[in-house]
Amino acid sequence: MSNIISIIQGLLVIVPALISVAFVTISERKVMASMQRRVGPNAVGYYGLLQAFADALKLLLKEYVAPTQANIILFFLGPVITLIFALLGYLVIPYAPGTFISDHRLGIFFMLAVSAIATYGILLAGWSANSKYAFLGSLRSTAQLISYELILSSVLLLVILLTGSLNVITIVESQKAVSLLLPLLPLFIVFFIGSIAETNRAPFDLAEAESELVSGFMTEHSASIFVFFFLAEYASIILICILNSILFFGGYLSIIVFSIISLLDLSREDTLFHVLISIISSSPINLAVKTSILVFVFIWVRASFPRIRFDQLMSVCWLVLLPITIAYVILLPCVVSGLLINPVNISLL
Amino acid sequence: MNNIFLLNDYITNGYRLEFVDFIYIISILFGIFTIISRNPIVSVLFLIGLFVNIAGLLILVGYDYIGLSYILVYVGAVSILFLFILMLINIRISELVSETNNDIPLAVITVLLFYFIIGQVIPSNLTDNTIVTSLSNSFSEVYNVQLDNEILNIIDLKQEIAYASSKSWDNSLIEFTHITGIGNIMYTNYSLWLIISSVILLVGMVGAIVITIKQK
């Protein structure tokens, strides 16, 4: 019985994640169309809302072609690994107080480990296709992912320092007074740039620069195998936006500090106003709004900036972002211990 | 001991002994495939599979921090760079085919001799009357008390209960950091195995140097 319940729990997370992936693709096409003064998809469904499902259906019905000299097992294993490990990250995310699959005490660590394995899918898919374009694309992509993972994990180190826990829920709950955006604003910008690069998005989408590499590591993948890559890419975009909003905007907590307002009128405990505030101050809608805004910024960035060269990409990572991050990693603990403001782990209180 | 609190183990969620056996078999197979596969990239892929397996084993038996850092360090950083370099080198697999069947008797003799000597020298039971046995016995006694309790008669719970105790706060007292525990065990009772594994590692390193050195 408990097995069935856990399967249902998994489906309750994965199916909405995949549906939201579909709507992110359609919103990306519509938003970019508006920014470029086009109409965008408008034929399928109301205002083209069902365009993504029509595309998915088309791709699933197509015939898949594998290159004759390809390593067939790895050719199909690569996309599967990418999709599975992109979706596994949703396991530790708290959507509302008490609404999560796993309250793992090493949640952030788990996400890092999972994203480390997801890199292999890209590497395997590019190598096994036995094509120079796919191979070069996968090497570029892997080098980029390894480099930018360094930045993301260094920033996470500081978040862990300030919250005193690796648990995601503790990180969210410790931002009840003020979100970590305030003390870590420069690092949020670094983290956001890093997360754009980590998801292989424009202007860092060197892995699939059409003018040089056809379509990158997925050049030879077609039909349903391509759908796997597509879903994994957008699922990881949504996941990293959720991670951004959890680390820096307080996750499901409201950005406006309602607890201060409620402190002002403690006499009226049972009023409708009070109940409303307690609902608004921590509800899944907060997380949804924050994540949607961040996804919109991802699309906005894609429509605004031209693609940079590969050497520029690497020098931005190693010579600009990483020194800033390391400087902060040294500075912030010094400030914290110098001013005697050691953060308290709220899980121990 | 008036009331017994049932403490569900949240770390080893769904730990079953059969899974551990399964992982043992798979990791032994992956280790063999790492050695015998001709293509170096496939060989490294089997090695990565072995790493993931061992990390899964560690997480399953409760060492989740060490298991996850195993994935993060070995799989996420070391092996991926290894694989990266191997992919960039242009290797023709036909050139790598060499006659290695002559080495098999030598390998078998070496392994048998090694284990014979080790078996002669090392005492069979290292943990008699030590801290480890007393600790594990104290855990298992409490466990048995719970399982033999016929009043509760809960058969299904047997798999879920990690240990039972008379105090609710025992849960937080028993828990100590994994690295400390492993370090304590490894450098005291099992120090002999540490030395043996380091000798094996040394032989591996020397062997790799001997194979690749150029004869003048």
Side-chain angles (χ1 to χ4, degrees):
Chain A
M1 190 60 199
S2 63
N3 288 334
I4 296 168
I5 289 174
S6 61
I7 287 170
I8 291 170
Q9 280 176 339
L11 285 178
L12 276 178
V13 169
I14 287 171
V15 170
L18 292 178
I19 290 173
S20 61
V21 163
F23 283 109
V24 166
T25 59
I26 187 71
S27 73
E28 176 172 34
R29 290 174 68 177
K30 290 295 267 190
V31 167
M32 280 181 60
S34 312
M35 284 177 179
Q36 294 157 357
R37 312 195 77 178
R38 293 184 283 119
V39 183
N42 64 346
V44 188
Y46 291 104
Y47 303 103
L49 269 180
L50 297 176
Q51 181 69 42
F53 298 100
D55 285 346
L57 201 65
K58 183 204 78 177
L59 282 169
L60 288 176
L61 291 176
K62 273 172 100 172
E63 180 195 8
Y64 67 85
V65 183
T68 48
Q69 292 298 310
N71 190 335
I72 290 294
I73 298 170
L74 295 182
F75 188 75
F76 289 107
L77 197 65
V80 172
I81 288 177
T82 317
L83 180 60
I84 286 176
F85 286 97
L87 288 176
L88 265 184
Y90 285 91
L91 207 67
V92 289
I93 289 171
Y95 298 95
T99 311
F100 47 79
I101 294 246
S102 158
D103 179 18
H104 199 273
R105 67 198 171 89
L106 304 171
I108 287 287
F109 213 54
F110 174 80
M111 282 177 96
L112 278 179
V114 160
S115 74
I117 298 181
T119 318
Y120 279 100
I122 293 168
L123 202 59
L124 290 187
W127 179 74
S128 63
N130 203 11
S131 151
K132 287 282 181 288
Y133 294 120
F135 180 55
L136 281 177
S138 78
L139 285 187
R140 276 187 175 187
S141 172
T142 314
Q144 182 180 340
L145 290 184
I146 295 172
S147 312
Y148 279 89
E149 218 168 61
L150 219 59
I151 293 173
L152 298 194
S153 36
S154 315
V155 175
L156 276 178
L157 214 63
L158 278 178
V159 172
I160 291 162
L161 171 87
L162 287 185
T163 54
S165 174
L166 285 161
N167 186 343
V168 186
I169 295 169
T170 314
I171 288 175
V172 171
E173 288 292 335
S174 60
Q175 298 179 44
K176 216 157 198 168
V178 59
S179 62
L180 280 177
L181 185 70
L182 230 61
L184 297 177
L185 181 64
L187 282 180
F188 165 66
I189 297 165
V190 169
F191 194 84
F192 194 71
I193 294 171
S195 45
I196 290 174
E198 185 75 11
T199 48
N200 270 331
R201 292 281 296 176
F204 301 112
D205 59 342
L206 269 298
E208 41 189 290
E210 304 93 347
S211 48
E212 303 157 23
L213 291 176
V214 191
S215 162
F217 57 86
M218 49 175 114
T219 306
E220 304 289 343
H221 292 76
S222 58
S224 50
I225 302 297
F226 174 73
V227 173
F228 278 29
F229 271 130
F230 198 70
L231 289 178
E233 195 181 328
Y234 281 88
S236 63
I237 288 171
I238 298 174
L239 183 68
I240 213 147
C241 286
I242 293 176
L243 187 64
N244 264 294
S245 50
I246 280 175
L247 292 180
F248 296 103
F249 295 96
Y252 53 75
L253 299 173
S254 170
I255 248 198
I256 306 157
V257 189
F258 279 102
S259 50
I260 293 174
I261 304 170
S262 54
L263 275 176
L264 293 176
D265 47 355
L266 278 171
S267 53
R268 295 182 294 155
E269 276 289 333
D270 303 324
T271 53
L272 188 67
F273 175 70
H274 213 90
V275 174
L276 258 178
I277 278 176
S278 65
I279 290 170
I280 293 168
S281 64
S282 58
S283 91
I285 295 169
N286 289 321
L287 184 65
V289 169
K290 288 167 191 169
T291 309
S292 307
I293 291 169
L294 286 172
V295 169
F296 175 76
V297 177
F298 263 64
I299 299 164
W300 192 7
V301 165
R302 182 180 172 185
S304 304
F305 293 107
R307 182 181 294 135
I308 62 174
R309 282 202 320 270
F310 193 70
D311 59 318
Q312 289 173 330
L313 174 87
M314 281 298 159
S315 67
V316 161
C317 174
W318 291 97
L319 302 178
V320 180
L321 297 180
L322 201 62
I324 293 175
T325 319
I326 289 175
Y328 253 87
V329 167
I330 296 168
L331 174 75
L332 211 72
C334 292
V335 170
V336 164
S337 103
L339 296 177
L340 296 175
I341 43 169
N342 292 332
V344 181
N345 187 345
I346 61 160
S347 69
L348 295 177
L349 290 178
Chain B
M1 289 279 270
N2 286 330
N3 1 328
I4 291 179
F5 291 89
L6 304 180
L7 307 171
N8 281 323
D9 194 346
Y10 60 94
I11 305 167
T12 60
N13 194 10
Y15 164 60
R16 303 275 289 272
L17 214 58
E18 300 90 63
F19 290 157
V20 177
D21 292 340
F22 188 64
I23 286 180
Y24 279 154
I25 292 167
I26 287 183
S27 52
I28 289 169
L29 280 180
F30 275 11
I32 292 169
F33 282 134
T34 309
I35 299 168
I36 65 170
S37 54
R38 294 272 182 226
N39 193 339
I41 293 175
V42 175
S43 175
V44 171
L45 287 177
F46 276 120
L47 185 69
I48 291 161
L50 181 65
F51 282 149
V52 174
N53 246 311
I54 297 299
L57 176 73
L58 288 171
I59 293 168
L60 204 62
V61 299
Y63 299 126
D64 47 358
Y65 180 79
I66 293 172
L68 285 175
S69 52
Y70 211 82
I71 288 181
L72 208 61
V73 174
Y74 284 98
V75 179
V78 176
S79 315
I80 209 161
L81 292 176
F82 205 36
L83 197 62
F84 211 77
I85 291 162
L86 269 182
M87 281 181 174
L88 283 172
I89 299 169
N90 191 13
I91 305 168
R92 289 197 187 81
I93 296 163
S94 56
E95 286 177 7
L96 292 172
V97 176
S98 57
E99 199 59 43
T100 53
N101 288 334
N102 294 334
D103 303 340
I104 292 174
L106 185 68
V108 170
I109 289 169
T110 316
V111 168
L112 284 179
L113 268 178
F114 183 74
Y115 275 98
F116 180 70
I117 293 166
I118 293 289
Q120 292 291 313
V121 172
I122 288 177
S124 59
N125 200 347
L126 289 169
T127 54
D128 265 343
N129 297 323
T130 54
I131 303 167
V132 179
T133 21
S134 60
L135 260 180
S136 57
N137 279 342
S138 71
F139 280 139
S140 58
E141 266 173 16
V142 180
Y143 190 55
N144 287 335
V145 164
Q146 171 52 36
L147 292 190
D148 295 339
N149 196 345
E150 292 295 325
I151 306 162
L152 285 171
N153 197 16
I154 309 166
I155 303 158
D156 288 342
L157 269 178
K158 274 186 187 178
Q159 290 161 356
E160 291 181 11
I161 297 165
Y163 46 86
S165 155
S166 57
K167 300 280 188 295
S168 61
W169 38 260
D170 261 12
N171 194 14
S172 50
L173 277 186
I174 291 169
E175 208 176 89
F176 50 90
T177 52
H178 298 144
I179 296 170
T180 321
I182 285 178
N184 275 335
I185 295 168
M186 202 166 70
Y187 288 104
T188 54
N189 288 304
Y190 289 88
S191 55
L192 216 51
W193 299 112
L194 184 72
I195 294 168
I196 290 170
S197 61
S198 66
V199 167
I200 292 172
L201 195 66
L202 182 73
V203 169
M205 279 167 64
V206 172
I209 294 168
V210 166
I211 287 169
T212 51
I213 203 163
K214 279 187 179 173
Q215 304 285 339
K216 283 183 182 174

